[in-house]
Amino acid sequence: MRRSLAGVALAVTSMVALSFLIPLAALVMSLVKAQAVTAAEQRAAALAPVLTLTTDPSALRESAESLDPGEHLVVHLPADAGALGSSKAPAALLERAQQGRESISQEIPGGWICLQPVVLPGDRVAVIENFVPEEELTHGVKESWAVMVFLAVALIGGSVLVADRLGAKVVRSSKKLAQASRALGQGDLETRVDPVGPKELRDAGVAFNAMAHRMTELLAVERELVADLSHRLRTPLTALHLASERMAGTPESARVEAAVGELEAELQAIIAAARSPLAVGPMGQGMLGAEPPAGHHAVRAGASGPRCEVEDVVRRRTAFWTVLAEQQNRSCSLGLTQEPTAVSLSDDDVAAVVDALIGNIFRHTAPGTPFGVQVVRTAHAVELVVEDGGPGIPEPELALSRGSSTGSTGLGLDIAGRAATATGGSVRIGRSPLGGVHITVSFALAPATPSGRGPRTSRRRPAWPRRR
């Protein structure tokens, strides 16, 4: 923008300077020429009274030298007397002045000639000639032009400098607003801008601050609402707990009691997380099918960011689902890599992906349907593969759009897609050798840390099946 403003100032000021400079330069040359010609005519007119008093050559030469030290003043006496000095006048012009008795002032090669006829006693005609050389006609013109060009260049340079300074102020304000917008997009909800610069940019800065403040308020209200709704679930949870106590002594009582206890712990964790300070983790940085946002790689490379081993989380969550699979006579195969599988996500985020994908199998396939889970390490990514022997997904592209699938919310695949996109990965849906769906979630590997393994961020997540 600074370059554009400076270019505009340069173009406009140059046109204005040229529009004045060219006519002014022509006017200066015209004035200098007119002054030289007028001075020559005045010298010729001043010698005329002397010529009417005397035709003595010595007196005339002395008077001519006093009027014109350059010896350009010549007296042409009547034909029988000759000329006093070196004449530059063409013969035709001289004869015209003598015969026609008219004053002549015109340009000739090499300068300007002025012829002034003087009528002497006896009806004789003498002619006073004053020649103005070319250098006298342009004397001082180049110096005047140089001064004008210098002033024009100074004016143009000054206008460009002023435009650049004004542009720099606008650019600084725009950059600050852009940086604040990127920071807000990356999850820094506390970022604000100092409204500076032109009125329009100040208004934009004020509007940005108001928007950021409103976003923070809305998110805080939403989190409190989640906490309140979660707290309301404690009442039916208490009823379940009492019911499990009445079932004491039955084969299912211990299992039901353990499930109720785990559910209560998960509910408490949700309430605590909902009332924690606002923050946006990697799962909030992208959307399924979208390119990673600007500044995403800088977030991933942060040494203090979330980090976990996909293999550990998958082993843990698959063990939970295997218990449920046994109750429904489902066979479950698990394949884990022995290589490091660190990604820039928390344990909770990866667990949410595993629970969402496996939960879809339990919800959308009949009991007894087999499924398999694998963790594969590639050169630059960790792939989580979940497949089953069910009916599959007839429209994979449609299934990747949240809420667009018939009979499904699409939330499970959306969770997987956002987690993959947050690390620079992707989600692919294909056909499984088992006959059903084959889902591959690719996570980009986390950058290496000096200590070899990064910090873990762990908070237990709900273990119940999530909907697709």
Side-chain angles (χ1 to χ4, degrees):
M1 182 180 290
R2 289 177 60 182
R3 185 175 299 177
S4 299
L5 291 176
V8 171
L10 176 62
V12 173
T13 311
S14 298
M15 289 188 292
V16 173
L18 288 175
S19 66
F20 283 96
L21 188 61
I22 294 176
L24 187 60
L27 179 62
V28 168
M29 173 171 269
S30 176
L31 288 176
V32 171
K33 186 175 182 179
Q35 289 176 356
V37 171
T38 301
E41 293 174 347
Q42 290 176 348
R43 287 193 296 269
L47 188 58
V50 178
L51 189 59
T52 59
L53 295 177
T54 179
T55 57
D56 181 54
S58 299
L60 291 175
R61 285 193 181 95
E62 183 178 351
S63 298
E65 291 176 357
S66 64
L67 291 173
D68 185 9
E71 299 182 355
H72 297 301
L73 197 60
V74 179
V75 179
H76 295 270
L77 295 175
D80 56 348
L84 301 178
S86 178
S87 177
K88 302 289 185 180
L93 289 179
L94 186 59
E95 183 179 357
R96 176 181 162 189
Q98 288 176 338
Q99 298 296 330
R101 299 182 181 183
E102 63 173 307
S103 299
I104 299 175
S105 179
Q106 71 177 51
E107 188 175 8
I108 63 172
W112 193 278
I113 193 74
C114 295
L115 298 178
Q116 179 68 44
V118 179
V119 180
L120 300 178
D123 200 28
R124 294 178 302 166
V125 177
V127 177
I128 301 174
E129 171 192 335
N130 196 358
F131 174 73
V132 184
E134 184 70 28
E135 56 269 16
E136 291 187 14
L137 292 175
T138 58
H139 180 69
V141 172
K142 293 182 179 179
E143 290 79 1
S144 300
W145 285 0
V147 172
M148 288 188 292
V149 170
F150 174 77
L151 292 177
V153 171
L155 176 62
I156 294 174
S159 65
V160 171
L161 181 62
V162 172
D164 180 73
R165 292 296 89 199
L166 293 176
K169 187 175 181 180
V170 173
V171 168
R172 282 195 298 270
S173 302
S174 302
K175 284 184 176 179
K176 289 181 179 178
L177 185 58
Q179 291 171 355
S181 300
R182 282 194 294 268
L184 183 64
Q186 294 170 8
D188 185 4
L189 301 180
E190 299 299 324
T191 185
R192 298 293 185 273
V193 296
D194 182 17
V196 294
K199 181 180 182 300
E200 292 78 8
L201 286 178
R202 292 199 303 271
D203 292 343
V206 172
F208 174 85
N209 290 340
M211 176 192 68
H213 181 70
R214 183 58 177 163
M215 285 178 58
T216 305
E217 287 183 343
L218 292 176
L219 287 174
V221 170
E222 182 179 358
R223 292 168 68 87
E224 281 298 323
L225 179 60
V226 171
D228 292 345
L229 292 177
S230 301
H231 191 272
R232 289 166 60 183
L233 293 176
R234 284 185 168 181
T235 299
L237 185 62
T238 302
L240 286 176
H241 187 72
L242 295 176
S244 67
E245 290 181 350
R246 289 195 296 270
M247 294 172 59
T250 64
E252 297 292 331
S253 62
R255 182 176 299 173
V256 172
E257 183 67 25
V260 171
E262 184 173 356
L263 181 59
E264 186 173 9
E266 298 292 349
L267 189 60
Q268 182 63 33
I270 292 176
I271 296 174
R275 288 178 173 171
S276 63
L278 290 176
V280 179
M283 288 282 283
Q285 292 175 1
M287 295 181 63
L288 184 60
E291 293 295 330
H296 168 65
H297 293 289
V299 173
R300 287 172 49 198
S304 60
R307 189 183 183 95
C308 75
E309 291 287 337
V310 175
E311 181 265 341
D312 291 345
V313 179
V314 172
R315 177 187 291 110
R316 224 170 31 245
R317 297 313 302 159
T318 305
F320 167 80
W321 288 102
T322 301
V323 176
L324 300 180
E326 291 176 355
Q327 297 178 5
Q328 296 186 3
N329 296 320
R330 296 176 184 267
S331 63
C332 174
S333 63
L334 177 64
L336 301 176
T337 180
Q338 300 301 317
E339 299 181 71
T341 57
V343 297
S344 297
L345 291 172
S346 67
D347 287 4
D348 297 338
D349 293 334
V350 177
V353 175
V354 177
D355 291 343
L357 297 181
I358 299 180
N360 284 338
I361 297 174
F362 279 77
R363 175 176 173 79
H364 296 283
T365 63
T369 302
F371 69 95
V373 180
Q374 297 181 60
V375 176
V376 181
R377 163 72 184 268
T378 65
H380 304 287
V382 177
E383 294 185 348
L384 170 62
V385 179
V386 178
E387 56 185 350
D388 61 59
I393 298 178
E395 298 181 82
E397 295 298 329
L398 186 62
L400 291 174
S401 301
R402 179 172 179 172
S404 61
S405 301
T406 303
S408 172
T409 64
L411 183 58
L413 288 175
D414 182 71
I415 292 174
R418 286 188 290 113
T421 304
T423 67
S426 62
V427 175
R428 303 188 303 274
I429 299 179
R431 197 70 179 179
S432 169
L434 298 177
V437 67
H438 181 281
I439 300 177
T440 302
V441 183
S442 177
F443 304 104
L445 286 171
T449 58
S451 60
R453 289 179 66 93
R456 285 183 178 271
T457 54
S458 176
R459 191 193 78 242
R460 293 175 57 82
R461 298 185 67 89
W464 55 84
R466 287 164 173 77
R467 296 187 177 182
R468 193 185 297 253

